[in-house]
């Protein structure tokens, strides 16, 4: 995925130093005031809390801008916020101005990232699916009937796995395995409130801004990868020609084009998607780039204009939200929200919060979802969510 070159933040070291990015990954300690974020442009490790973004009735970009301005007046040099925003962005945002930020270049450009991560320890996991697979399939079937009845065009339905262990979890080791497995993606571990940590490795950029240049990279339409090379290539080629997946992807791209157009002087949207791969999945992807008409519009303001996209919610948005609330037997919380950073100048990177879990000392709640359209089959969507779970389950050492 093409991205603008990295720019230094705060007191970060030389981005060309070999081992700097992998070093920051290794220094993450899962403290309640630590945040780690890595992207194809930079690696960031923040510690301490200078100020928290308040939870009040003002729009989120206004709250963040005010918090950053106060930090600057208090003497913080080039302040930024880092953290996560919930699926319902007006209900919850876990964002803070850190005391210290260290940065390095992208993990994918650090040759030491190829060194093996610590092996997963043997853990006796207790696993409870919510909902049960049969209930999830039934929910998909109900949604398909509503889609065929014309109530909506797409809805994304998620399920979770609740895992618990007798011993404390080693979150830094899990983060190491996530980052080293897909160093070209977006790896994160940020405080989630209440002593919990949001940890994961998302393949999907919601929006980044550097100066007046903006970039979005929506993913929609996917297929599990195969360990057999020939079968893996066949699946990738079939995904590029799949009418169901191409339709699902086009819905997302059209929504992002419509949302960004009022903000941009120019906007480039390729006619056909390309492929993005992770260790577990192939995805249809489109790189959308633009030039802002007003340089005062921040990355977070743009991200809020896009969120939630049809890739995590559906279309029409409010109808899809209602169906999600009726079918999913849990609160998504930070899952399918956004995670990343933004600075006082308005630059930032905000990533769709998928391939993730909320963790505390001994439990993980892992999430996965699938886009449901009128051609969807319950067994296919169940298989897709199972494949998406593997990104996190493999890192946690949960056997197949």
């Amino acid at each position: 995925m093409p991205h603008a070159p990295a720019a230094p933040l705060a007191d970060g070291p030389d981005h060309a130093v070999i081992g700097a990015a992998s070093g920051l990954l290794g220094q993450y300690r899962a403290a309640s005031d630590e945040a780690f974020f890595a992207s194809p442009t930079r690696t960031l490790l923040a510690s301490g809390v200078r100020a928290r973004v308040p939870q009040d009735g003002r729009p989120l970009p206004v709250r963040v801008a005010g918090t950053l301005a106060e930090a600057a007046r208090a003497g913080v040099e080039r302040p930024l916020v880092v953290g996560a925003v919930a699926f319902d962005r007006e209900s919850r945002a876990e964002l803070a101005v850190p005391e210290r930020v260290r940065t390095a270049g992208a993990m994918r450009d650090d040759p030491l990232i190829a060194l093996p991560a610590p092996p997963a320890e043997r853990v006796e996991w207790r696993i409870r699916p919510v909902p049960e697979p049969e209930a999830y399939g039934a929910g998909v079937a109900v949604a398909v009937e509503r889609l065929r009845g014309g109530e909506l065009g797409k809805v994304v339905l998620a399920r979770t796995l609740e895992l618990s262990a007798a011993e404390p979890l080693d979150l830094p080791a899990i983060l190491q395995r996530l980052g080293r497995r897909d160093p070209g993606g977006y790896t994160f571990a940020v405080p989630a409130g209440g002593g919990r940590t949001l940890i994961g490795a998302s393949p999907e950029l919601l929006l980044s801004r550097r100066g007046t240049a903006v970039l979005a990279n929506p993913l929609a339409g996917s297929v599990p990868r195969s360990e057999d090379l020939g079968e893996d290539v066949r699946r990738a080629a079939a995904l590029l020609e799949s009418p169901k997946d191409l339709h699902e992807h086009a819905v997302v791209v059209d929504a992002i084009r419509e949302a960004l157009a009022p903000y941009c002087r120019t906007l480039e949207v390729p006619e056909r998607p390309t492929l993005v791969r992770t260790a577990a999945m192939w995805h249809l992807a489109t790189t959308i780039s633009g030039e802002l008409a007003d340089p005062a519009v921040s990355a977070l303001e743009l991200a809020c204009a896009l969120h939630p996209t049809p890739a995590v919610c559906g279309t029409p948005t409010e109808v899809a939200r209602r169906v999600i609330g009726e079918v999913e037997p849990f609160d998504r919380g930070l899952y399918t929200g956004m995670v990343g950073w933004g600075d006082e100048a308005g630059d930032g990177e905000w990533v769709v919060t998928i391939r993730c879990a909320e963790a505390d000392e001994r439990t993980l709640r892992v999430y996965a979802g699938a886009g449901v359209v009128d051609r969807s089959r319950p067994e296919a969507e169940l298989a897709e969510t199972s494949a998406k779970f593997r990104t996190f389950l493999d890192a946690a050492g949960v056997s197949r």
Side-chain angles (χ1 to χ4, degrees), residues 301-382:
E301 186 175 346
L302 293 166
C304 288
L306 299 183
H307 175 70
T309 74
V312 296
C313 181
T315 183
T317 302
E318 290 311 311
V319 179
R321 277 184 183 274
R322 185 174 68 248
V323 172
I324 289 168
E326 294 169 0
V327 174
E328 292 181 359
F330 56 87
D331 180 356
R332 288 190 177 186
L334 297 174
Y335 169 65
T336 60
M338 48 188 176
V339 60
W341 64 273
D343 66 16
E344 188 186 25
D347 289 347
E349 294 176 297
W350 296 99
V351 175
V352 181
T353 312
I354 52 177
R355 309 299 186 274
C356 64
E358 283 202 32
D360 60 23
E361 187 178 14
R362 289 178 169 83
T363 67
L364 295 169
R365 186 164 197 169
V366 187
Y367 298 86
V372 180
V373 295
D374 59 5
R375 301 181 188 183
S376 293
R377 295 177 295 111
E379 61 273 20
E381 307 308 338
L382 183 63

Side-chain angles (χ1 to χ4, degrees), residues 8-20:
L9 289 170
D11 59 343
D14 185 347
H15 281 215
V17 174
I18 292 175

